[in-house]
Amino acid sequence: QLSYSNIKLAQSLEERDTLVDALQENKKDFDRAQSVGNIGSWRLDVCKNELKWSDENHRIFGIPKGTPLTYETFLSTVHPDDREYVDREWKAGLEGKPYDIEHRIVADGKIKWVREKAYLEFDKDGVVVGGFGITQDITERKRAEEALKKAHETLEEKVKERTAELEEAFNSLKENEKRLSEAQRTAHIGSWDRKLTTDKLYWSDEMYRIFGLKAQEFEITYHVFLNYVHPDDRDYVDNAVNKAFNGEPFEVDYRIILSNGEERIVHSQ
């Protein structure tokens, strides 16, 4: 009987050792996972004000393992500018508000950003007795967000500067066009441009006036222009234009006939 009991005890001890080994291996895997993900975990006994951290949580906050931890210990690591906010959100969490916040901490003299989320535990009377939570180091994400924000602000500033430059250039161009138009009106000199692909002529306002038309009254083509040229001068002007395409200078005097029958002599070059 004693021998049988010894065998059963040995088996029980062996099973216990196997279970302990499995639990230790699981803890190692859990710690590795937290380290890789920069996510620590914690548990708080609200009644005793006792706080327990995982290894990764200790690394995130820069507090050695074995250090007695309380809520106040945690709060002391929070950045002074965020402390009131964090404390207010935690107290609201104790009243039932979801606790999922981002804030800064000071660890080993360095400022870090963390995200904290808590799952609170209540007794049958609805009183908080404890809580489990996670702490995620989001410092790199915040740095990337800040860099992106600065890049966006820089881009916006450059867009504003470029827009202002374009507006200034546009206003300057409009002013120059106005001055040119006034100068052309005073000197009775018009300007034109011909687009060969469409045969359209782009006339200045004074060109329209010279031909007895209202400024920009209708679209002008080369054919329309030739119709205003005196019939006896039409071939002469057309030949001069065609020679200009071959590189010869274009400078001619010719007659035009306005819609009201008035005849004028113009110089083109």
Side-chain angles (χ1 to χ4, degrees):
Q1 184 67 32
L2 183 58
S3 176
Y4 176 76
S5 297
N6 288 339
I7 292 174
K8 293 297 290 182
L9 177 60
Q11 289 177 341
S12 296
L13 291 174
E14 185 178 354
E15 291 173 357
R16 186 204 64 182
D17 291 341
T18 301
L19 181 59
V20 169
D21 290 342
L23 289 174
Q24 289 178 342
E25 191 64 30
N26 286 340
K27 185 179 184 306
K28 289 180 182 178
D29 291 342
F30 180 71
D31 289 342
R32 290 192 192 102
Q34 288 200 345
S35 178
V36 170
N38 291 325
I39 299 176
S41 59
W42 52 266
R43 175 167 288 282
L44 176 65
D45 185 326
V46 175
C47 298
K48 296 180 180 179
N49 193 21
E50 289 181 354
L51 186 61
K52 294 181 180 179
W53 282 353
S54 67
D55 290 351
E56 183 60 21
N57 231 52
H58 278 281
R59 282 191 288 269
I60 291 173
F61 284 87
I63 294 179
K65 292 177 63 176
T67 303
L69 300 172
T70 63
Y71 173 72
E72 288 71 27
T73 307
F74 153 73
L75 199 60
S76 68
T77 67
V78 176
H79 191 285
D81 294 342
D82 296 348
R83 198 167 293 161
E84 182 179 346
Y85 161 71
V86 172
D87 189 46
R88 183 173 65 251
E89 289 299 305
W90 174 250
K91 289 176 180 176
L94 297 179
E95 298 297 326
K97 179 183 176 181
Y99 183 79
D100 189 352
I101 63 173
E102 295 179 357
H103 63 86
R104 291 166 294 177
I105 62 172
V106 181
D108 298 324
K110 298 179 181 179
I111 296 177
K112 293 183 178 180
W113 274 93
V114 297
R115 178 200 176 191
E116 291 201 316
K117 188 170 185 178
Y119 303 88
L120 299 178
E121 300 162 347
F122 301 84
D123 64 14
K124 62 180 181 179
D125 297 321
V127 178
V128 177
V129 294
F132 171 81
I134 60 98
T135 303
Q136 182 180 13
D137 187 341
I138 58 172
T139 305
E140 291 304 317
R141 192 198 83 191
K142 283 292 186 178
R143 286 175 180 168
E145 289 176 353
E146 185 62 26
L148 184 61
K149 180 182 177 183
K150 288 182 179 179
H152 182 70
E153 290 174 349
T154 300
L155 179 60
E156 280 191 336
E157 188 62 32
K158 288 186 179 295
V159 169
K160 288 180 181 178
E161 291 175 0
R162 185 57 179 159
T163 301
E165 290 173 357
L166 290 175
E167 287 179 351
E168 184 178 353
F170 176 77
N171 292 334
S172 178
L173 178 62
K174 295 296 288 185
E175 184 63 27
N176 288 338
E177 286 181 350
K178 182 180 177 181
R179 290 173 181 172
L180 176 61
S181 179
E182 291 173 351
Q184 287 187 348
R185 178 190 288 272
T186 302
H188 298 294
I189 298 175
S191 59
W192 55 269
D193 188 19
R194 181 179 178 183
K195 190 172 184 179
L196 297 177
T197 55
T198 60
D199 209 32
K200 290 180 181 179
L201 291 173
Y202 297 89
W203 280 4
S204 67
D205 290 350
E206 188 60 21
M207 277 290 292
Y208 277 91
R209 282 190 283 270
I210 290 172
F211 279 75
L213 302 170
K214 293 180 180 179
Q216 310 302 323
E217 183 176 356
F218 56 83
E219 193 172 74
I220 302 296
T221 64
Y222 181 67
H223 177 72
V224 171
F225 155 71
L226 280 180
N227 284 338
Y228 279 93
V229 178
H230 193 287
D232 293 343
D233 296 347
R234 200 167 291 161
D235 288 342
Y236 164 65
V237 172
D238 190 41
N239 287 333
V241 169
N242 291 328
K243 288 179 180 179
F245 288 144
N246 294 321
E248 294 188 23
F250 177 77
E251 186 171 355
V252 294
D253 293 334
Y254 57 93
R255 293 165 293 175
I256 61 173
I257 300 176
L258 278 55
S259 299
N260 61 4
E262 179 186 347
E263 186 176 300
R264 292 180 179 177
I265 299 176
V266 297
H267 175 82
S268 292
Q269 67 182 72

